[in-house]
């Protein structure tokens, strides 16, 4: 079965950085695009970033463009989200997902506060 395990979240001050990881299993990872979503309490789940199967094409929400970088290592079945210049409004639970599968991991909490 499709399994996604997010990690790397934590608590940081504004302007800080975190690198999230999502290890995938249960499917041929290299064939699929991957996405990062986030959801803050009381808010809709928001698509943050997308990366194509080869890693050669990426897209970002306007709110994170220039600050976040999505990447992947197909040999490790892992997709990453490098988050720099973090803002309080980035506080959320972050999830990864393959668009073609209706499967979510537990997410990893990111808290940005002073």
């Amino acid at each position: 079965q499709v399994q996604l395990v997010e990690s790397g979240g934590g608590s940081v001050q504004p302007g800080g950085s975190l690198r999230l990881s999502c290890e995938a299993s249960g499917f041929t990872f290299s064939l699929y695009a991957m996405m990062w979503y986030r959801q803050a309490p009381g808010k809709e789940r928001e698509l943050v970033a997308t990366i194509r199967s080869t890693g050669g094409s990426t897209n970002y929400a306007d709110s994170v463009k220039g600050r976040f970088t999505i990447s992947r290592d197909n040999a490790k079945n892992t997709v990453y989200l490098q988050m720099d210049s973090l803002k309080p409004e980035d506080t959320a639970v972050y999830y990864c997902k393959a668009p073609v599968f209706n499967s979510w991991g537990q997410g990893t909490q990111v808290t940005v506060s002073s």
Side-chain angles (χ1 to χ4, degrees):
Q1 72 279 25
V2 173
Q3 294 187 62
L4 302 166
V5 181
E6 300 93 343
S7 63
S11 182
V12 298
Q13 296 181 7
S17 296
L18 287 171
R19 191 191 194 205
L20 307 184
S21 298
C22 170
E23 185 175 356
S25 61
F27 63 101
T28 305
F29 179 79
S30 63
L31 298 180
Y32 297 94
M34 293 294 295
M35 305 182 299
W36 282 98
Y37 284 80
R38 67 186 181 186
Q39 187 167 27
K43 296 186 179 295
E44 299 290 331
R45 190 165 294 187
E46 173 190 22
L47 177 62
V48 173
T50 303
I51 188 166
R52 303 306 175 197
S53 61
T54 64
S57 180
T58 58
N59 288 284
Y60 300 92
D62 288 342
S63 58
V64 308
K65 194 171 297 181
R67 300 187 298 117
F68 290 11
T69 303
I70 187 171
S71 62
R72 67 192 296 159
D73 186 340
N74 285 344
K76 296 181 178 180
N77 288 357
T78 301
V79 61
Y80 305 95
L81 187 68
Q82 177 67 44
M83 305 185 296
D84 299 317
S85 301
L86 283 162
K87 303 175 180 179
E89 51 263 46
D90 296 319
T91 296
V93 178
Y94 284 72
Y95 303 88
C96 65
K97 186 180 185 296
V100 301
F101 299 124
N102 186 25
S103 183
W104 302 88
Q106 294 298 305
T108 186
Q109 174 71 233
V110 172
T111 302
V112 185
S113 66
S114 58

